[in-house]
Amino acid sequence: MSLIPKKGNVFVVDDDEAVRDSLQWLLEGKDYRVKCFDSAESFLARFDPREVACLICDIRMDGMSGLELQDKLIDRKSPLPMAFITGHGDVPMAVQTMKKGAIDFIEKPFKEESLVALVEKMLEQARSSFASHQEAASRDALLSRLTGREAQVLERIVAGRLNKQIADDLGISIKTVEAHRANIMEKLNANTVADLLKIALGAQTAKA
């Protein structure tokens, strides 16, 4: 058993067993961890969005097509990078998938170098997307600790309002505003106002 860590997770969805076996053999030979599925439905039933991975999917399949699977993942707001396997004549469809966010498509028969380069490109995006997702989850967890009043004070700090202006806005004393500020800094693990702004503005950017 190899002690070298795997390069990353690759999901393969194709109803052709020969294609699945070929991709699995090729990618495992390059030290990727490969999970194969014979239908889009079976993939969706077992898909864990917390995994850092990428997806290679056939466009034409019995049951749910690759295009329909892409739509399902878009509906779930999944950041999973996706590429398509296409046969002759499927290129217009493949272009359509890229307009919806697919990374690329490969035509059968596929070249080993092109496939590996594509997988590496997708996994790089997956790592970046997962890191962003983790940061967003961490920010949300911190912000959820604020009371309603503290959230109102934070909103005004971000808008550049001074303590006196915040006190006037909310009908409270300056001392109360100062107490709320101190609580906000503590709850958000912020040492400076700049830290505070990064957390608050990061959350706003993520929701935009």
Side-chain angles (χ1 to χ4, degrees):
M1 184 175 161
S2 173
L3 297 176
I4 302 170
K6 298 289 183 184
K7 290 180 181 176
N9 296 315
V10 183
F11 299 130
V12 173
V13 180
D14 197 307
D15 58 1
D16 185 330
E17 186 177 2
V19 173
R20 292 197 306 274
D21 289 348
S22 172
L23 285 169
Q24 185 162 15
W25 177 83
L26 195 158
L27 291 170
E28 286 184 345
K30 298 292 183 182
D31 210 34
Y32 294 101
R33 186 181 288 107
V34 183
K35 296 180 186 177
C36 292
F37 301 87
D38 61 5
S39 70
E41 290 88 346
S42 63
F43 167 73
L44 282 174
R46 295 178 222 168
F47 172 51
D48 183 349
R50 294 169 298 181
E51 280 190 80
V52 180
C54 66
L55 170 61
I56 298 173
C57 180
D58 194 8
I59 280 192
R60 294 181 186 273
M61 294 184 285
D62 290 335
M64 188 187 296
S65 70
L67 291 169
E68 289 169 324
L69 174 57
Q70 183 183 32
D71 287 339
K72 293 275 185 189
L73 291 170
I74 290 170
D75 289 344
R76 293 186 184 190
K77 297 183 168 52
S78 168
L80 183 70
M82 189 172 188
F84 285 91
I85 302 168
T86 66
H88 181 66
D90 288 340
V91 172
M93 268 197 288
V95 171
Q96 184 185 336
T97 70
M98 290 185 72
K99 287 178 180 175
K100 290 183 177 181
I103 302 293
D104 209 338
F105 60 91
I106 49 174
E107 291 186 81
K108 300 174 189 173
F110 33 79
K111 295 178 183 171
E112 181 176 325
E113 317 84 68
S114 303
L115 177 67
V116 171
L118 175 56
V119 165
E120 203 45 55
K121 177 181 174 183
M122 288 198 291
L123 285 172
E124 189 58 41
Q125 179 172 320
R127 292 179 198 110
S128 174
S129 297
F130 187 76
S132 300
H133 177 75
Q134 292 290 84
E135 285 173 21
S138 178
R139 280 195 305 267
D140 290 345
L142 288 173
L143 291 167
S144 71
R145 297 165 66 186
L146 301 182
T147 65
R149 179 63 91 189
E150 287 164 354
Q152 290 176 329
V153 171
L154 176 59
E155 187 182 333
R156 285 160 177 78
I157 293 171
V158 171
R161 305 285 283 169
L162 302 174
N163 283 359
K164 184 178 184 313
Q165 293 171 316
I166 295 172
D168 290 343
D169 287 346
L170 300 176
I172 55 180
S173 71
I174 293 176
K175 278 191 180 298
T176 303
V177 173
E178 289 169 351
H180 283 316
R181 281 184 81 124
N183 287 340
I184 293 166
M185 298 285 279
E186 183 180 345
K187 287 181 178 180
L188 299 187
N189 298 328
N191 296 316
T192 65
V193 174
D195 291 338
L196 203 63
L197 291 175
K198 277 180 196 169
I199 294 167
L201 292 172
Q204 288 178 10
T205 302
K207 287 175 185 173

